[in-house]
Amino acid sequence: MPDMSKKNPTSRESWIRNRMFHKVPFNVAVIDRDYNIVDANERFAEHFGEWRGKKCYAAYKKLKEPCAQCNSLKVFEDGKTRVIDEVGIDLHGRQTHYVVHIAPLRRAPDDPIEYVLEMSSEVTETKRWQQEYQILFDRVPCYITVIDENYRIVRANESFRENFGDVIGQNCYKVYKRRNTKCPHCPAARTFKNGGVYNSTQHGIDKKGQDITYRVTTSPLTRGGEKVAHVIEISTDLTDIKKLEQDVIEAERLGAVGQTVAGLAHSIKNILMGLEGGKYIVSVGLQKDDKEMINQGWEMLERNFDKTTTLVKDFLSFSKGRLPELQMVNPNDLAREIVDLYRDTCAQSGIKLTADLVPTIKKAPLDPDGIHTCLTNLVSNAIDACQMGEQKGTEVMIRVREVRGKLVFEVADNGSGIDYEIKQKIFTTFFTTKGGMGTGLGLLTTRKIVQEHGGKIIVESKKGQGARFRMEFPRSRLLTLFENAGNHENKN
Amino acid sequence: MSAKILIIDDEPDVVTYMVAVLKSNGFTPSSTTDPNLGLKMAAEVRPDLICLDIMMPEKSGISIYTKLKKDRLLGSIPVLIVSGVSRQGEFDFRSFVSDTSIPPPEGYLEKPIVIDQYLQLIRDLTSTNLSLKRGKATDA
């Protein structure tokens, strides 16, 4: 091609403009009022095929009639430039997406519009990604909203809209919680303040008025360094999970009731056996005219009737609950009593029983009988655990400690240990081979007594590695209980 | 010679009852309400059958059972578990004793016992054991 640029500046300019028209990275077409394509660049031809003699709708969309909503006609009418999304059919018959920039062409500013210039850029791939992201945004199984600095929702995904309605422009606190003011401890407020990511579990109300529980994460929607203008809130609905947890708790509670009944049945069976035995012995005594047997049988009957009364009282007292009878006592003394009580039993079984005490420990308001029962249960369990295994050198240790304002009693053993499943049930079941209390209430009673003292009991154990039961009593609660019962520490 | 039955149960009335029933029906019972003495008595008496409770304070019936079955001399004595733990649902032997080298008990009865059933089970278990003993004696 001859180099015209140096010889003739006008030709050069014309040549450059011509090349520019063909090489710009858009499909460029010039349309008249009758939809005729009067000119188009090379790129347009490469994309849509031969255009000469064709109407724009035929070239762009392979239609035989003008489009129902023709934007070019609108530009002819009002002279305003438009940017629109369009879908067309390319040379190969593929559906393609475009962003089209339509501008009026006049010879002079006040002249009528002779043509419109259509510059289209293919965005099929971008559009596909956009659609995919939109689907992802809408369908993810969590609620997503974008809020502005005034806590107004500017975007919300489909999952959110389904559950909270169409709420664009409303305040998030109004929508989530039906409040008229911002929520206290709002995680989004913290994100606005310092751009951090925060999590929080919240309770709200959906559009049907149902209570929901959700876990929300707030993140800044900003580019690095800029002030946070929007916050994205992503919430996971925990309502079903919480309900399941409640169901499990309820099932466990019912299970515990069932096990309590089973424990009660066990005690009753022993009493029944005593009554049957008494009846049998009286009967044999009468047959043989053996007064001694009759007396023996009668005593058995009386004893087992008494046991029934005691059992019923025990269970009633257990189910009713009671306030502990608190006295200022030295916790070490309670531990020593238990060591004295079990010294012989342990010695016979080759178990080392020790007490690890802090001599300076302060007195505490405790129900000595209640704590005695707890320690008896725990120590007899620990001894049993030591006897279950065959290992030598078994040991049971009672520790009394003061840990951060809490009085702690601990019973540890290196016996057979408790596996996880049993640990879950240990405070509610009667499956233990131990019947320390006679009524089979064992650890359930221990937990109850500890709770009545405002404390809690914790078990740490792995099968084969011993167990450690820890009763923790916050001193402040013990004191409150003590004072509520009309006592003062200095009186004792 | 009448069969010797050892009863290990912490409930004195249960023991009194079973002893009375066994005596009236021609057996030779011995008993203890102290679970710690259970193994010692088994070694001394060498009974033909042991009636054992599994829910006792201080020493677990399961622990006694495990030691009995592991004992070279006492391991072959049949054990009848007599317990308030009901067999359906609650008493699953393997949940107490996971060591499969220890066999399950030869018999199980739920408290309160029915006398005819109790005696029948004791006769069945002791006759099997006695015939085994006799067999062993002949072999020797």
Side-chain angles (χ1 to χ4, degrees), chain A residues 269-270 277 296 300 303-304 307 384 431 434, chain B residues 11 13 16-17 58 60 62 84 96 110-111 115:
Chain A
K269 283 172 190 171
N270 266 331
Q296 188 189 19
M300 274 173 77
R303 201 163 39 242
N304 284 284
K307 275 189 187 172
D384 200 41
F431 63 4
K434 287 285 299 173
Chain B
E11 283 287 329
D13 288 344
T16 310
Y17 180 24
E58 294 178 38
S60 140
I62 289 291
F96 291 103
E110 195 179 323
K111 288 178 184 174
I115 293 177

mmCIF file with all atom_site columns, all heavy atoms in Angstrom, chain A residues 269-270 277 296 300 303-304 307 384 431 434, chain B residues 11 13 16-17 58 60 62 84 96 110-111 115:
data_model
loop_
_atom_site.group_PDB
_atom_site.id
_atom_site.type_symbol
_atom_site.label_atom_id
_atom_site.label_alt_id
_atom_site.label_comp_id
_atom_site.label_asym_id
_atom_site.label_entity_id
_atom_site.label_seq_id
_atom_site.pdbx_PDB_ins_code
_atom_site.Cartn_x
_atom_site.Cartn_y
_atom_site.Cartn_z
_atom_site.occupancy
_atom_site.B_iso_or_equiv
_atom_site.pdbx_formal_charge
_atom_site.auth_seq_id
_atom_site.auth_comp_id
_atom_site.auth_asym_id
_atom_site.auth_atom_id
_atom_site.pdbx_PDB_model_num
ATOM 1   N N   . LYS A 1 269 ? -38.554 -53.973 92.404  1.00 0.00 ? 269 LYS A N   1
ATOM 2   C CA  . LYS A 1 269 ? -38.393 -55.426 92.220  1.00 0.00 ? 269 LYS A CA  1
ATOM 3   C C   . LYS A 1 269 ? -37.708 -56.065 93.432  1.00 0.00 ? 269 LYS A C   1
ATOM 4   O O   . LYS A 1 269 ? -38.080 -57.147 93.865  1.00 0.00 ? 269 LYS A O   1
ATOM 5   C CB  . LYS A 1 269 ? -37.572 -55.693 90.956  1.00 0.00 ? 269 LYS A CB  1
ATOM 6   C CG  . LYS A 1 269 ? -38.363 -55.531 89.673  1.00 0.00 ? 269 LYS A CG  1
ATOM 7   C CD  . LYS A 1 269 ? -37.424 -55.626 88.507  1.00 0.00 ? 269 LYS A CD  1
ATOM 8   C CE  . LYS A 1 269 ? -38.106 -55.221 87.217  1.00 0.00 ? 269 LYS A CE  1
ATOM 9   N NZ  . LYS A 1 269 ? -37.123 -55.122 86.136  1.00 0.00 ? 269 LYS A NZ  1
ATOM 10  N N   . ASN A 1 270 ? -36.686 -55.368 93.958  1.00 0.00 ? 270 ASN A N   1
ATOM 11  C CA  . ASN A 1 270 ? -36.002 -55.900 95.140  1.00 0.00 ? 270 ASN A CA  1
ATOM 12  C C   . ASN A 1 270 ? -36.950 -55.970 96.332  1.00 0.00 ? 270 ASN A C   1
ATOM 13  O O   . ASN A 1 270 ? -36.940 -56.939 97.097  1.00 0.00 ? 270 ASN A O   1
ATOM 14  C CB  . ASN A 1 270 ? -34.799 -55.017 95.500  1.00 0.00 ? 270 ASN A CB  1
ATOM 15  C CG  . ASN A 1 270 ? -33.520 -55.547 94.884  1.00 0.00 ? 270 ASN A CG  1
ATOM 16  O OD1 . ASN A 1 270 ? -33.376 -56.756 94.655  1.00 0.00 ? 270 ASN A OD1 1
ATOM 17  N ND2 . ASN A 1 270 ? -32.600 -54.650 94.584  1.00 0.00 ? 270 ASN A ND2 1
ATOM 18  N N   . GLY A 1 277 ? -40.581 -63.162 99.485  1.00 0.00 ? 277 GLY A N   1
ATOM 19  C CA  . GLY A 1 277 ? -39.797 -64.012 100.386 1.00 0.00 ? 277 GLY A CA  1
ATOM 20  C C   . GLY A 1 277 ? -40.473 -64.124 101.742 1.00 0.00 ? 277 GLY A C   1
ATOM 21  O O   . GLY A 1 277 ? -40.606 -65.235 102.295 1.00 0.00 ? 277 GLY A O   1
ATOM 22  N N   . GLN A 1 296 ? -39.702 -64.781 111.383 1.00 0.00 ? 296 GLN A N   1
ATOM 23  C CA  . GLN A 1 296 ? -38.700 -64.315 110.419 1.00 0.00 ? 296 GLN A CA  1
ATOM 24  C C   . GLN A 1 296 ? -39.390 -63.771 109.167 1.00 0.00 ? 296 GLN A C   1
ATOM 25  O O   . GLN A 1 296 ? -39.071 -62.681 108.666 1.00 0.00 ? 296 GLN A O   1
ATOM 26  C CB  . GLN A 1 296 ? -37.759 -65.466 110.036 1.00 0.00 ? 296 GLN A CB  1
ATOM 27  C CG  . GLN A 1 296 ? -36.587 -65.022 109.200 1.00 0.00 ? 296 GLN A CG  1
ATOM 28  C CD  . GLN A 1 296 ? -35.788 -66.198 108.644 1.00 0.00 ? 296 GLN A CD  1
ATOM 29  O OE1 . GLN A 1 296 ? -36.285 -67.341 108.588 1.00 0.00 ? 296 GLN A OE1 1
ATOM 30  N NE2 . GLN A 1 296 ? -34.575 -65.932 108.238 1.00 0.00 ? 296 GLN A NE2 1
ATOM 31  N N   . MET A 1 300 ? -39.683 -59.862 107.656 1.00 0.00 ? 300 MET A N   1
ATOM 32  C CA  . MET A 1 300 ? -39.326 -59.527 106.275 1.00 0.00 ? 300 MET A CA  1
ATOM 33  C C   . MET A 1 300 ? -40.439 -58.707 105.631 1.00 0.00 ? 300 MET A C   1
ATOM 34  O O   . MET A 1 300 ? -40.182 -57.733 104.921 1.00 0.00 ? 300 MET A O   1
ATOM 35  C CB  . MET A 1 300 ? -39.095 -60.798 105.446 1.00 0.00 ? 300 MET A CB  1
ATOM 36  C CG  . MET A 1 300 ? -37.688 -61.332 105.542 1.00 0.00 ? 300 MET A CG  1
ATOM 37  S SD  . MET A 1 300 ? -37.523 -62.923 104.719 1.00 0.00 ? 300 MET A SD  1
ATOM 38  C CE  . MET A 1 300 ? -37.469 -62.446 103.024 1.00 0.00 ? 300 MET A CE  1
ATOM 39  N N   . ARG A 1 303 ? -40.374 -55.205 107.129 1.00 0.00 ? 303 ARG A N   1
ATOM 40  C CA  . ARG A 1 303 ? -39.201 -54.461 106.664 1.00 0.00 ? 303 ARG A CA  1
ATOM 41  C C   . ARG A 1 303 ? -39.417 -53.952 105.229 1.00 0.00 ? 303 ARG A C   1
ATOM 42  O O   . ARG A 1 303 ? -39.109 -52.825 104.900 1.00 0.00 ? 303 ARG A O   1
ATOM 43  C CB  . ARG A 1 303 ? -37.983 -55.382 106.734 1.00 0.00 ? 303 ARG A CB  1
ATOM 44  C CG  . ARG A 1 303 ? -36.683 -54.663 106.766 1.00 0.00 ? 303 ARG A CG  1
ATOM 45  C CD  . ARG A 1 303 ? -35.524 -55.512 107.229 1.00 0.00 ? 303 ARG A CD  1
ATOM 46  N NE  . ARG A 1 303 ? -35.540 -56.882 106.759 1.00 0.00 ? 303 ARG A NE  1
ATOM 47  C CZ  . ARG A 1 303 ? -35.607 -57.945 107.562 1.00 0.00 ? 303 ARG A CZ  1
ATOM 48  N NH1 . ARG A 1 303 ? -35.709 -57.790 108.866 1.00 0.00 ? 303 ARG A NH1 1
ATOM 49  N NH2 . ARG A 1 303 ? -35.605 -59.166 107.052 1.00 0.00 ? 303 ARG A NH2 1
ATOM 50  N N   . ASN A 1 304 ? -39.987 -54.804 104.414 1.00 0.00 ? 304 ASN A N   1
ATOM 51  C CA  . ASN A 1 304 ? -40.141 -54.423 103.012 1.00 0.00 ? 304 ASN A CA  1
ATOM 52  C C   . ASN A 1 304 ? -41.299 -53.451 102.792 1.00 0.00 ? 304 ASN A C   1
ATOM 53  O O   . ASN A 1 304 ? -41.253 -52.647 101.859 1.00 0.00 ? 304 ASN A O   1
ATOM 54  C CB  . ASN A 1 304 ? -40.232 -55.657 102.119 1.00 0.00 ? 304 ASN A CB  1
ATOM 55  C CG  . ASN A 1 304 ? -38.864 -56.285 101.934 1.00 0.00 ? 304 ASN A CG  1
ATOM 56  O OD1 . ASN A 1 304 ? -38.050 -55.757 101.180 1.00 0.00 ? 304 ASN A OD1 1
ATOM 57  N ND2 . ASN A 1 304 ? -38.585 -57.356 102.671 1.00 0.00 ? 304 ASN A ND2 1
ATOM 58  N N   . LYS A 1 307 ? -39.568 -50.315 103.577 1.00 0.00 ? 307 LYS A N   1
ATOM 59  C CA  . LYS A 1 307 ? -38.704 -49.918 102.457 1.00 0.00 ? 307 LYS A CA  1
ATOM 60  C C   . LYS A 1 307 ? -39.517 -49.224 101.376 1.00 0.00 ? 307 LYS A C   1
ATOM 61  O O   . LYS A 1 307 ? -39.045 -48.274 100.755 1.00 0.00 ? 307 LYS A O   1
ATOM 62  C CB  . LYS A 1 307 ? -38.022 -51.152 101.844 1.00 0.00 ? 307 LYS A CB  1
ATOM 63  C CG  . LYS A 1 307 ? -36.766 -51.575 102.538 1.00 0.00 ? 307 LYS A CG  1
ATOM 64  C CD  . LYS A 1 307 ? -36.092 -52.658 101.713 1.00 0.00 ? 307 LYS A CD  1
ATOM 65  C CE  . LYS A 1 307 ? -34.911 -53.254 102.425 1.00 0.00 ? 307 LYS A CE  1
ATOM 66  N NZ  . LYS A 1 307 ? -34.392 -54.409 101.694 1.00 0.00 ? 307 LYS A NZ  1
ATOM 67  N N   . ASP A 1 384 ? -15.218 -48.805 92.060  1.00 0.00 ? 384 ASP A N   1
ATOM 68  C CA  . ASP A 1 384 ? -15.776 -49.800 91.144  1.00 0.00 ? 384 ASP A CA  1
ATOM 69  C C   . ASP A 1 384 ? -15.020 -49.809 89.831  1.00 0.00 ? 384 ASP A C   1
ATOM 70  O O   . ASP A 1 384 ? -14.710 -50.864 89.275  1.00 0.00 ? 384 ASP A O   1
ATOM 71  C CB  . ASP A 1 384 ? -17.251 -49.474 90.906  1.00 0.00 ? 384 ASP A CB  1
ATOM 72  C CG  . ASP A 1 384 ? -17.994 -50.687 90.403  1.00 0.00 ? 384 ASP A CG  1
ATOM 73  O OD1 . ASP A 1 384 ? -17.731 -51.778 90.930  1.00 0.00 ? 384 ASP A OD1 1
ATOM 74  O OD2 . ASP A 1 384 ? -18.803 -50.542 89.473  1.00 0.00 ? 384 ASP A OD2 1
ATOM 75  N N   . PHE A 1 431 ? -27.812 -47.656 84.022  1.00 0.00 ? 431 PHE A N   1
ATOM 76  C CA  . PHE A 1 431 ? -27.152 -48.822 83.454  1.00 0.00 ? 431 PHE A CA  1
ATOM 77  C C   . PHE A 1 431 ? -25.878 -49.172 84.195  1.00 0.00 ? 431 PHE A C   1
ATOM 78  O O   . PHE A 1 431 ? -25.302 -50.198 83.993  1.00 0.00 ? 431 PHE A O   1
ATOM 79  C CB  . PHE A 1 431 ? -26.894 -48.661 81.974  1.00 0.00 ? 431 PHE A CB  1
ATOM 80  C CG  . PHE A 1 431 ? -25.974 -47.546 81.585  1.00 0.00 ? 431 PHE A CG  1
ATOM 81  C CD1 . PHE A 1 431 ? -25.311 -46.755 82.520  1.00 0.00 ? 431 PHE A CD1 1
ATOM 82  C CD2 . PHE A 1 431 ? -25.757 -47.273 80.253  1.00 0.00 ? 431 PHE A CD2 1
ATOM 83  C CE1 . PHE A 1 431 ? -24.486 -45.744 82.146  1.00 0.00 ? 431 PHE A CE1 1
ATOM 84  C CE2 . PHE A 1 431 ? -24.926 -46.241 79.874  1.00 0.00 ? 431 PHE A CE2 1
ATOM 85  C CZ  . PHE A 1 431 ? -24.290 -45.476 80.802  1.00 0.00 ? 431 PHE A CZ  1
ATOM 86  N N   . LYS A 1 434 ? -23.322 -50.126 89.431  1.00 0.00 ? 434 LYS A N   1
ATOM 87  C CA  . LYS A 1 434 ? -23.301 -49.683 90.823  1.00 0.00 ? 434 LYS A CA  1
ATOM 88  C C   . LYS A 1 434 ? -24.690 -49.277 91.270  1.00 0.00 ? 434 LYS A C   1
ATOM 89  O O   . LYS A 1 434 ? -25.419 -48.624 90.570  1.00 0.00 ? 434 LYS A O   1
ATOM 90  C CB  . LYS A 1 434 ? -22.411 -48.441 90.939  1.00 0.00 ? 434 LYS A CB  1
ATOM 91  C CG  . LYS A 1 434 ? -20.959 -48.740 90.825  1.00 0.00 ? 434 LYS A CG  1
ATOM 92  C CD  . LYS A 1 434 ? -20.432 -49.377 92.059  1.00 0.00 ? 434 LYS A CD  1
ATOM 93  C CE  . LYS A 1 434 ? -20.605 -48.452 93.255  1.00 0.00 ? 434 LYS A CE  1
ATOM 94  N NZ  . LYS A 1 434 ? -20.254 -49.129 94.489  1.00 0.00 ? 434 LYS A NZ  1
ATOM 95  N N   . GLU B 2 11  ? -28.921 -57.870 99.205  1.00 0.00 ? 11  GLU B N   1
ATOM 96  C CA  . GLU B 2 11  ? -30.216 -57.697 99.871  1.00 0.00 ? 11  GLU B CA  1
ATOM 97  C C   . GLU B 2 11  ? -30.466 -58.892 100.800 1.00 0.00 ? 11  GLU B C   1
ATOM 98  O O   . GLU B 2 11  ? -30.739 -59.998 100.335 1.00 0.00 ? 11  GLU B O   1
ATOM 99  C CB  . GLU B 2 11  ? -31.338 -57.661 98.823  1.00 0.00 ? 11  GLU B CB  1
ATOM 100 C CG  . GLU B 2 11  ? -31.445 -56.343 98.084  1.00 0.00 ? 11  GLU B CG  1
ATOM 101 C CD  . GLU B 2 11  ? -32.029 -55.240 98.955  1.00 0.00 ? 11  GLU B CD  1
ATOM 102 O OE1 . GLU B 2 11  ? -32.848 -55.557 99.844  1.00 0.00 ? 11  GLU B OE1 1
ATOM 103 O OE2 . GLU B 2 11  ? -31.646 -54.078 98.748  1.00 0.00 ? 11  GLU B OE2 1
ATOM 104 N N   . ASP B 2 13  ? -32.905 -59.831 102.599 1.00 0.00 ? 13  ASP B N   1
ATOM 105 C CA  . ASP B 2 13  ? -34.203 -60.494 102.457 1.00 0.00 ? 13  ASP B CA  1
ATOM 106 C C   . ASP B 2 13  ? -34.261 -61.383 101.217 1.00 0.00 ? 13  ASP B C   1
ATOM 107 O O   . ASP B 2 13  ? -34.883 -62.438 101.217 1.00 0.00 ? 13  ASP B O   1
ATOM 108 C CB  . ASP B 2 13  ? -35.321 -59.448 102.412 1.00 0.00 ? 13  ASP B CB  1
ATOM 109 C CG  . ASP B 2 13  ? -35.529 -58.809 103.783 1.00 0.00 ? 13  ASP B CG  1
ATOM 110 O OD1 . ASP B 2 13  ? -35.032 -59.385 104.774 1.00 0.00 ? 13  ASP B OD1 1
ATOM 111 O OD2 . ASP B 2 13  ? -36.170 -57.752 103.847 1.00 0.00 ? 13  ASP B OD2 1
ATOM 112 N N   . THR B 2 16  ? -32.367 -64.458 102.186 1.00 0.00 ? 16  THR B N   1
ATOM 113 C CA  . THR B 2 16  ? -33.165 -65.294 103.092 1.00 0.00 ? 16  THR B CA  1
ATOM 114 C C   . THR B 2 16  ? -34.214 -66.082 102.297 1.00 0.00 ? 16  THR B C   1
ATOM 115 O O   . THR B 2 16  ? -34.420 -67.278 102.513 1.00 0.00 ? 16  THR B O   1
ATOM 116 C CB  . THR B 2 16  ? -33.889 -64.404 104.138 1.00 0.00 ? 16  THR B CB  1
ATOM 117 O OG1 . THR B 2 16  ? -32.923 -63.539 104.715 1.00 0.00 ? 16  THR B OG1 1
ATOM 118 C CG2 . THR B 2 16  ? -34.551 -65.226 105.214 1.00 0.00 ? 16  THR B CG2 1
ATOM 119 N N   . TYR B 2 17  ? -34.858 -65.368 101.381 1.00 0.00 ? 17  TYR B N   1
ATOM 120 C CA  . TYR B 2 17  ? -35.897 -65.980 100.562 1.00 0.00 ? 17  TYR B CA  1
ATOM 121 C C   . TYR B 2 17  ? -35.331 -67.127 99.715  1.00 0.00 ? 17  TYR B C   1
ATOM 122 O O   . TYR B 2 17  ? -35.834 -68.264 99.750  1.00 0.00 ? 17  TYR B O   1
ATOM 123 C CB  . TYR B 2 17  ? -36.491 -64.879 99.670  1.00 0.00 ? 17  TYR B CB  1
ATOM 124 C CG  . TYR B 2 17  ? -37.601 -65.285 98.728  1.00 0.00 ? 17  TYR B CG  1
ATOM 125 C CD1 . TYR B 2 17  ? -38.410 -66.402 98.955  1.00 0.00 ? 17  TYR B CD1 1
ATOM 126 C CD2 . TYR B 2 17  ? -37.854 -64.515 97.594  1.00 0.00 ? 17  TYR B CD2 1
ATOM 127 C CE1 . TYR B 2 17  ? -39.441 -66.730 98.083  1.00 0.00 ? 17  TYR B CE1 1
ATOM 128 C CE2 . TYR B 2 17  ? -38.883 -64.846 96.714  1.00 0.00 ? 17  TYR B CE2 1
ATOM 129 C CZ  . TYR B 2 17  ? -39.675 -65.952 96.957  1.00 0.00 ? 17  TYR B CZ  1
ATOM 130 O OH  . TYR B 2 17  ? -40.675 -66.279 96.105  1.00 0.00 ? 17  TYR B OH  1
ATOM 131 N N   . GLU B 2 58  ? -20.768 -51.062 96.476  1.00 0.00 ? 58  GLU B N   1
ATOM 132 C CA  . GLU B 2 58  ? -19.380 -51.361 96.836  1.00 0.00 ? 58  GLU B CA  1
ATOM 133 C C   . GLU B 2 58  ? -18.649 -52.213 95.812  1.00 0.00 ? 58  GLU B C   1
ATOM 134 O O   . GLU B 2 58  ? -17.583 -51.879 95.358  1.00 0.00 ? 58  GLU B O   1
ATOM 135 C CB  . GLU B 2 58  ? -19.269 -52.001 98.223  1.00 0.00 ? 58  GLU B CB  1
ATOM 136 C CG  . GLU B 2 58  ? -19.692 -51.051 99.344  1.00 0.00 ? 58  GLU B CG  1
ATOM 137 C CD  . GLU B 2 58  ? -19.635 -51.687 100.690 1.00 0.00 ? 58  GLU B CD  1
ATOM 138 O OE1 . GLU B 2 58  ? -18.705 -52.465 100.938 1.00 0.00 ? 58  GLU B OE1 1
ATOM 139 O OE2 . GLU B 2 58  ? -20.542 -51.415 101.504 1.00 0.00 ? 58  GLU B OE2 1
ATOM 140 N N   . SER B 2 60  ? -19.154 -54.422 92.228  1.00 0.00 ? 60  SER B N   1
ATOM 141 C CA  . SER B 2 60  ? -20.077 -54.734 91.155  1.00 0.00 ? 60  SER B CA  1
ATOM 142 C C   . SER B 2 60  ? -20.209 -56.235 90.915  1.00 0.00 ? 60  SER B C   1
ATOM 143 O O   . SER B 2 60  ? -19.228 -56.980 90.968  1.00 0.00 ? 60  SER B O   1
ATOM 144 C CB  . SER B 2 60  ? -19.576 -54.045 89.894  1.00 0.00 ? 60  SER B CB  1
ATOM 145 O OG  . SER B 2 60  ? -19.741 -54.869 88.801  1.00 0.00 ? 60  SER B OG  1
ATOM 146 N N   . ILE B 2 62  ? -20.880 -57.509 88.160  1.00 0.00 ? 62  ILE B N   1
ATOM 147 C CA  . ILE B 2 62  ? -20.193 -57.776 86.887  1.00 0.00 ? 62  ILE B CA  1
ATOM 148 C C   . ILE B 2 62  ? -18.708 -58.024 87.134  1.00 0.00 ? 62  ILE B C   1
ATOM 149 O O   . ILE B 2 62  ? -18.102 -58.904 86.533  1.00 0.00 ? 62  ILE B O   1
ATOM 150 C CB  . ILE B 2 62  ? -20.388 -56.582 85.909  1.00 0.00 ? 62  ILE B CB  1
ATOM 151 C CG1 . ILE B 2 62  ? -21.835 -56.541 85.415  1.00 0.00 ? 62  ILE B CG1 1
ATOM 152 C CG2 . ILE B 2 62  ? -19.423 -56.657 84.736  1.00 0.00 ? 62  ILE B CG2 1
ATOM 153 C CD1 . ILE B 2 62  ? -22.245 -57.673 84.505  1.00 0.00 ? 62  ILE B CD1 1
ATOM 154 N N   . GLY B 2 84  ? -32.633 -57.249 89.293  1.00 0.00 ? 84  GLY B N   1
ATOM 155 C CA  . GLY B 2 84  ? -33.786 -56.383 89.051  1.00 0.00 ? 84  GLY B CA  1
ATOM 156 C C   . GLY B 2 84  ? -33.705 -55.704 87.690  1.00 0.00 ? 84  GLY B C   1
ATOM 157 O O   . GLY B 2 84  ? -34.659 -55.084 87.249  1.00 0.00 ? 84  GLY B O   1
ATOM 158 N N   . PHE B 2 96  ? -21.905 -54.520 79.170  1.00 0.00 ? 96  PHE B N   1
ATOM 159 C CA  . PHE B 2 96  ? -21.188 -54.512 80.448  1.00 0.00 ? 96  PHE B CA  1
ATOM 160 C C   . PHE B 2 96  ? -19.802 -55.118 80.304  1.00 0.00 ? 96  PHE B C   1
ATOM 161 O O   . PHE B 2 96  ? -18.842 -54.660 80.877  1.00 0.00 ? 96  PHE B O   1
ATOM 162 C CB  . PHE B 2 96  ? -21.949 -55.326 81.517  1.00 0.00 ? 96  PHE B CB  1
ATOM 163 C CG  . PHE B 2 96  ? -23.238 -54.691 81.952  1.00 0.00 ? 96  PHE B CG  1
ATOM 164 C CD1 . PHE B 2 96  ? -24.449 -55.160 81.502  1.00 0.00 ? 96  PHE B CD1 1
ATOM 165 C CD2 . PHE B 2 96  ? -23.229 -53.624 82.831  1.00 0.00 ? 96  PHE B CD2 1
ATOM 166 C CE1 . PHE B 2 96  ? -25.628 -54.588 81.914  1.00 0.00 ? 96  PHE B CE1 1
ATOM 167 C CE2 . PHE B 2 96  ? -24.407 -53.047 83.254  1.00 0.00 ? 96  PHE B CE2 1
ATOM 168 C CZ  . PHE B 2 96  ? -25.619 -53.523 82.789  1.00 0.00 ? 96  PHE B CZ  1
ATOM 169 N N   . GLU B 2 110 ? -35.132 -62.564 86.241  1.00 0.00 ? 110 GLU B N   1
ATOM 170 C CA  . GLU B 2 110 ? -35.452 -61.210 86.682  1.00 0.00 ? 110 GLU B CA  1
ATOM 171 C C   . GLU B 2 110 ? -36.180 -61.265 88.026  1.00 0.00 ? 110 GLU B C   1
ATOM 172 O O   . GLU B 2 110 ? -37.035 -62.121 88.242  1.00 0.00 ? 110 GLU B O   1
ATOM 173 C CB  . GLU B 2 110 ? -36.345 -60.578 85.606  1.00 0.00 ? 110 GLU B CB  1
ATOM 174 C CG  . GLU B 2 110 ? -36.470 -59.090 85.738  1.00 0.00 ? 110 GLU B CG  1
ATOM 175 C CD  . GLU B 2 110 ? -37.334 -58.514 84.629  1.00 0.00 ? 110 GLU B CD  1
ATOM 176 O OE1 . GLU B 2 110 ? -37.253 -59.010 83.486  1.00 0.00 ? 110 GLU B OE1 1
ATOM 177 O OE2 . GLU B 2 110 ? -38.099 -57.593 84.918  1.00 0.00 ? 110 GLU B OE2 1
ATOM 178 N N   . LYS B 2 111 ? -35.829 -60.359 88.899  1.00 0.00 ? 111 LYS B N   1
ATOM 179 C CA  . LYS B 2 111 ? -36.517 -60.265 90.197  1.00 0.00 ? 111 LYS B CA  1
ATOM 180 C C   . LYS B 2 111 ? -37.882 -59.607 89.991  1.00 0.00 ? 111 LYS B C   1
ATOM 181 O O   . LYS B 2 111 ? -37.986 -58.715 89.152  1.00 0.00 ? 111 LYS B O   1
ATOM 182 C CB  . LYS B 2 111 ? -35.703 -59.416 91.173  1.00 0.00 ? 111 LYS B CB  1
ATOM 183 C CG  . LYS B 2 111 ? -34.449 -60.087 91.682  1.00 0.00 ? 111 LYS B CG  1
ATOM 184 C CD  . LYS B 2 111 ? -33.724 -59.100 92.606  1.00 0.00 ? 111 LYS B CD  1
ATOM 185 C CE  . LYS B 2 111 ? -32.397 -59.677 93.081  1.00 0.00 ? 111 LYS B CE  1
ATOM 186 N NZ  . LYS B 2 111 ? -31.611 -58.712 93.864  1.00 0.00 ? 111 LYS B NZ  1
ATOM 187 N N   . ILE B 2 115 ? -41.045 -68.953 91.746  1.00 0.00 ? 115 ILE B N   1
ATOM 188 C CA  . ILE B 2 115 ? -40.341 -70.085 92.386  1.00 0.00 ? 115 ILE B CA  1
ATOM 189 C C   . ILE B 2 115 ? -40.166 -71.280 91.441  1.00 0.00 ? 115 ILE B C   1
ATOM 190 O O   . ILE B 2 115 ? -39.054 -71.825 91.316  1.00 0.00 ? 115 ILE B O   1
ATOM 191 C CB  . ILE B 2 115 ? -41.076 -70.518 93.681  1.00 0.00 ? 115 ILE B CB  1
ATOM 192 C CG1 . ILE B 2 115 ? -40.941 -69.385 94.703  1.00 0.00 ? 115 ILE B CG1 1
ATOM 193 C CG2 . ILE B 2 115 ? -40.480 -71.804 94.252  1.00 0.00 ? 115 ILE B CG2 1
ATOM 194 C CD1 . ILE B 2 115 ? -41.675 -69.632 96.008  1.00 0.00 ? 115 ILE B CD1 1
#
